[in-house]
Amino acid sequence: MNPSSRILGSLYGSLIGDALGVPVEFKPRVDRIHDPVTDMRDYGTHGQPIGTWSDDGSQLLCAAESLAHKGFDTQDMGERFVRWFTHGLWTAHGTLFDIGFATRKALRLIEQGCPAEIAGGDGEHDNGNGSLMRILPVPLASLKCDLDIFCDRISRASAITHAHDRSRLACVLHGLLVRALMRGENPAVAHASAAAEFRARYSTHAEYSHFSPLLYPDLANASESTIESSGYVLHTLEASLWCLLTTRSFSECVLKAVNLGDDTDTTGCVAGGLAGIHYGLDAIPTEWLRALPRQTDLHELFTRFLTAVPKS
């Protein structure tokens, strides 16, 4: 599979997973057991039309646009997030309908003149999944960087809204998974590769113990009852990875992620991005792709992103 198919699969896959989750966000897992999501829905939790992505997708698109036009520039990226917050940049229909507390606080600071890289909260309670959900374009645009620069870029991009080391390292681990999947490794091998690289770099870090469950080689054997799908950054990363490891197609992965319940749009978005790399653009159901709004805008942005970033 060529790298462009993997990159497009990841970008579109993120939006698809997000859009599948939007109508059932905040609903408990038991609701999904009785009424599983099997296809795109409309309205629901946020009253949005079919195919609508949330704050996850909008910020991911802002990040992709920043990287395509400016290269890696956290100030530009942060300012584009502010334009999303204040003027609806890269919203699906021109209206912002969801934003996390930590992200709102950070973007207000940037709006008031705070440098983007120091705007994010760094307290213990600032470990929601608000940076993980939109980090994907950064590792995709940094594949040719050496590992130190690769990890540093991801950490700095996280800090725009989420600066606690746990959130930063969660984004780095995600980035290592992205890099391994882009090399063509299957999910189990990519997981092992990313875990080994993460372990080698951070085993003495004060936050390392929090990541132990995500690094276990037998994560795929964990029962669903042990997989949490809240808005906590490590829950989202673990759930998304678990869905990738325990399924055999793009559709199966994103639907499994959404049907975990609770923070469905973000689990779907992160799982969709990872699955999109592994399975490629052609594996995403055409009817789901067609359900996304702003088709021409997405095509133009992703074409620009592919042209601007190294692919291997």
Side-chain angles (χ1 to χ4, degrees):
M1 190 187 306
N2 67 66
S4 294
S5 177
R6 294 190 189 278
I7 291 174
L8 289 173
S10 72
L11 296 172
Y12 278 111
S14 298
L15 297 180
I16 294 293
D18 186 0
L20 284 164
V22 163
V24 295
E25 186 181 14
F26 307 133
K27 303 299 183 181
R29 189 172 302 180
V30 66
D31 284 15
R32 302 283 64 78
I33 292 172
H34 296 298
D35 177 27
V37 174
T38 59
D39 204 347
M40 286 281 184
R41 299 184 179 188
D42 54 10
Y43 302 103
T45 300
H46 297 286
Q48 296 296 313
I50 193 169
T52 301
W53 59 79
S54 71
D55 52 332
D56 305 45
S58 292
Q59 290 181 81
L60 185 150
L61 293 171
C62 287
E65 183 180 63
S66 177
L67 289 157
H69 287 266
K70 291 286 190 175
F72 183 73
D73 183 331
T74 53
Q75 190 62 34
D76 180 80
M77 192 178 293
E79 289 172 0
R80 289 177 197 267
F81 295 156
V82 171
R83 287 173 58 197
W84 158 71
F85 177 46
T86 58
H87 293 91
L89 177 66
W90 282 113
T91 53
H93 304 288
T95 304
L96 182 150
F97 61 86
D98 192 18
I99 183 172
F101 175 78
T103 297
R104 182 192 298 271
K105 182 178 178 182
L107 298 188
R108 285 293 190 202
L109 289 173
I110 297 171
E111 189 180 24
Q112 294 163 11
C114 177
E117 277 196 37
I118 61 172
D122 61 0
E124 176 76 21
H125 296 290
D126 294 312
N127 282 309
N129 53 25
S131 61
L132 178 67
M133 68 190 192
R134 45 96 175 155
I135 204 68
L136 175 65
V138 179
L140 290 176
S142 306
L143 293 171
K144 284 195 172 181
C145 297
D146 69 42
L147 192 56
D148 288 340
I149 295 174
F150 180 85
C151 295
D152 180 64
R153 282 185 172 188
I154 295 169
S155 176
R156 290 165 59 196
S158 172
I160 297 171
T161 56
H162 293 70
H164 191 279
D165 280 352
R166 196 173 309 158
S167 289
R168 291 176 184 250
L169 292 185
C171 289
V172 169
L173 178 54
H174 173 272
L176 295 173
L177 287 163
V178 167
R179 203 169 71 130
L181 291 167
M182 282 296 299
R183 292 195 295 259
E185 296 176 10
N186 69 47
V189 174
H191 177 220
S193 298
E197 289 177 322
F198 188 86
R199 194 177 293 113
R201 293 182 68 85
Y202 302 110
S203 61
T204 61
H205 195 285
E207 288 291 320
Y208 179 78
S209 62
H210 294 281
F211 289 84
S212 296
L214 284 78
L215 305 178
Y216 289 148
D218 61 348
L219 175 60
N221 295 323
S223 67
E224 182 178 302
S225 63
T226 68
I227 302 298
E228 299 189 64
S229 50
S230 75
Y232 174 45
V233 65
L234 295 187
H235 287 170
T236 301
L237 183 55
E238 182 178 23
S240 302
L241 177 55
W242 179 79
C243 289
L244 180 68
L245 291 169
T246 56
T247 54
R248 293 177 177 267
S249 70
F250 175 85
S251 300
E252 186 185 2
C253 179
V254 293
L255 291 174
K256 190 169 192 174
V258 168
N259 284 316
L260 289 175
D262 299 314
D263 201 359
T264 50
D265 59 335
T266 305
T267 310
C269 181
V270 177
L274 295 174
I277 299 174
H278 177 54
Y279 295 106
L281 178 63
D282 290 344
I284 302 176
T286 303
E287 61 271 23
W288 288 357
L289 289 169
R290 288 176 177 166
L292 296 174
R294 302 186 63 175
Q295 293 276 325
T296 300
D297 293 336
L298 292 177
H299 175 75
E300 291 176 354
L301 172 60
F302 293 164
T303 299
R304 178 67 181 266
F305 186 81
L306 283 175
T307 302
V309 305
K311 301 173 187 63
S312 61

